[in-house]
Every structure is written in structure tokens, then in C-alpha cells.
Amino acid sequence: MKDYSYIIDEACTGEKTPKLVRQIIPILVGWAKRKETNHTYGDLSRLLGYQDGRCIGHQLGSVQLVFQQLQEEAGLEKIPTLNALVSNARTGIPSGGFSYVHPKYDEMDLTEKQIIVENANNEAFNYEKWDYVLALLGLKPYLSQADEDIIRSGAFGFGGEGKEHKLMKEFIAAHPEAIDKQISEEGILEHILLSGDRVDVFFPKANVAVEVKPKLASDADILRGLFQCVKYKAILDAEAEVKGEIPDSEIILVIGGKLSQSNRNVQECLDIEVIEEF
């Protein structure tokens, strides 16, 4: 795949604009893929690290320029605009700067503007090549702020588990061959680590721990599972260290569904072994 990441530097003016555009595009793509239209300019500014809701119209215009140049150089069909996904908190639609995307926007009444915005967003929602566009520009999907917020809210407590989760754990414990490991022992369910954390399935002789997420698990729960694997390995290896043993634990995340593209990026970054569609 040809690298078109240079387009961002060519199309953007201003010292900080290329860096901001590299942050903005994955955020907007994530909103489009999740069909989110409730975000304001202030929301986007805060995600970029600014607390003062500063104007980002120039950067959004630069995103449009990047897409136009990418279309031409990569020979792509029309890339829908993402600028309509960001709105003025007061009016609920994009501000006057959207005329850069739709030249007659400022001449329209409110109803006409709303129709234009809705049509633009529907095009963005139905576009199937967003991941390809990101890859061409050398960008990775944005880690969902919504998923982060869900996890940090404490939404995942220690309540009862679902039937599918229980059956998956029990099956893996009794059939370790199902996770492609040469393990001859039966696994321990809900093994308690010295940190007090509980591992879904643990094979002590093989030093293999398995975290399980059922098919209906949300992307936020899968993201949490990836970081749980990081924690469990660190703790198991620490337990081995203090006992004078070799810290060589293996951690596997087994999920009933498939990783989202955002979570796949996290998985690759953290180098977590994941078994999908179990």
C-alpha cells in the first residue's frame, strides 16, 4: 500500500495544523463509524487537549483539503466530508465555516442547512472505506473516548456473570486444547491473584491465564479485557519473581465475537494474544 501521509503536511498550513489534523481525522472517522452526531466544536477541542474551546475551523478546513488531495492522488471515489459531524452547541448544526465544504451554506435558512448536514452525515455513515483512508494517511483508528469513559465510570463491577461467560470459562478449563496450548491439566476457575484480582481460568503448571469475554461483550468491555491481560501478566510475573521462579506467564484473551478495529490496534500495541469468535 502506498504511503500518502505526506499529504497532511502538504495540505496543511500553520505550524501546529498538521499535528492537529492527524489527531482530528481518526476522531471524526470514529464518530462517523459509530453514527454519532451529538458532538460540538468544544467537544473536539477538549479531545485535542484544549480546555478553552478554541476555534478549530482552520483545522477542520484542512481535513477537507487533505481528503480532496488524497482523492486525486490515490484515485479514490469521493471521500465524504466529516465536518458536518461537528456542530455549534447553540444551533446544533455546523457554523458558517461549513461554507468551505458547501459554498452556499451561509445563504440557506435553518431547514435547508439541516437537510444538507443530514445528507452529508449519512454519506459519512455509509462510507465503507474509512479504515482504508486512515491507512493511506498513515493514521490509526482513534481509541474510543466513549469506551474509556464507560470503563472509568466504574460500570463494570463485580456483579453476577452471564450464562455464556460461565459456559465459556468452564469449557476452556476442561478443554485447554481449545485454546491451542499444550496443556495437560484442568484449569482453575476464578483463580485469585495476590493483588486480589480474579482470573477467569488459570492453568498453574503451564502458567497460562485466560480472560474470557462473551459474544455480547461491548467494545468497552473488550478494551477493558485487553488491559486486564496486561495487569494479570504483570502480577503473575511479580508473584514468580518474589518466589524465585522464572516470570514466564502467558495471558490470553478469548472472546466470543471479533475485535473492533480500534481494539485491534490496542491489541497489536500491547501485544496481547487474542482468540476471536470462540
Side-chain angles (χ1 to χ4, degrees), residues 189-204:
L189 296 174
E190 296 294 324
H191 173 68
I192 300 176
L193 303 176
L194 290 182
S195 63
D197 294 285
R198 294 175 182 265
V199 176
D200 283 335
V201 186
F202 183 56
F203 301 95

Side-chain angles (χ1 to χ4, degrees), residues 93-163:
I93 58 174
S95 296
F98 192 69
S99 59
Y100 188 78
V101 177
H102 199 286
K104 295 185 179 181
Y105 183 75
D106 290 342
E107 302 171 15
M108 300 176 179
D109 61 30
L110 178 59
T111 300
E112 291 173 322
K113 289 180 178 179
Q114 290 172 332
I115 292 172
I116 290 296
V117 169
E118 182 179 359
N119 289 339
N121 285 337
N122 283 334
E123 286 184 16
F125 296 158
N126 294 322
Y127 188 63
E128 298 179 348
K129 296 183 178 180
W130 285 126
D131 288 334
Y132 183 56
V133 168
L134 290 178
L136 289 176
L137 293 171
L139 302 173
K140 292 184 177 181
Y142 179 69
L143 178 61
S144 170
Q145 185 64 40
D147 289 346
E148 282 195 52
D149 291 343
I150 290 171
I151 294 170
R152 297 187 195 281
S153 72
F156 299 101
F158 296 97
E161 65 179 336
K163 181 179 179 180

Side-chain angles (χ1 to χ4, degrees), residues 160-171 212 214 216:
E161 65 179 336
K163 181 179 179 180
E164 183 189 354
H165 184 260
K166 184 174 183 293
L167 290 174
M168 287 175 69
K169 289 193 313 184
E170 292 174 346
F171 183 84
V212 175
L216 293 179

Side-chain angles (χ1 to χ4, degrees), residues 165-224:
H165 184 260
K166 184 174 183 293
L167 290 174
M168 287 175 69
K169 289 193 313 184
E170 292 174 346
F171 183 84
I172 292 170
H175 302 279
E177 70 276 4
I179 57 173
D180 299 323
K181 296 293 178 182
Q182 299 298 315
I183 300 174
S184 57
E185 61 183 312
E186 187 168 319
I188 299 171
L189 296 174
E190 296 294 324
H191 173 68
I192 300 176
L193 303 176
L194 290 182
S195 63
D197 294 285
R198 294 175 182 265
V199 176
D200 283 335
V201 186
F202 183 56
F203 301 95
K205 292 181 181 178
N207 205 13
V208 173
V210 181
E211 177 65 17
V212 175
K213 300 294 181 186
K215 188 173 184 178
L216 293 179
S218 65
D219 285 344
D221 197 15
I222 301 297
L223 176 63
R224 184 175 71 109

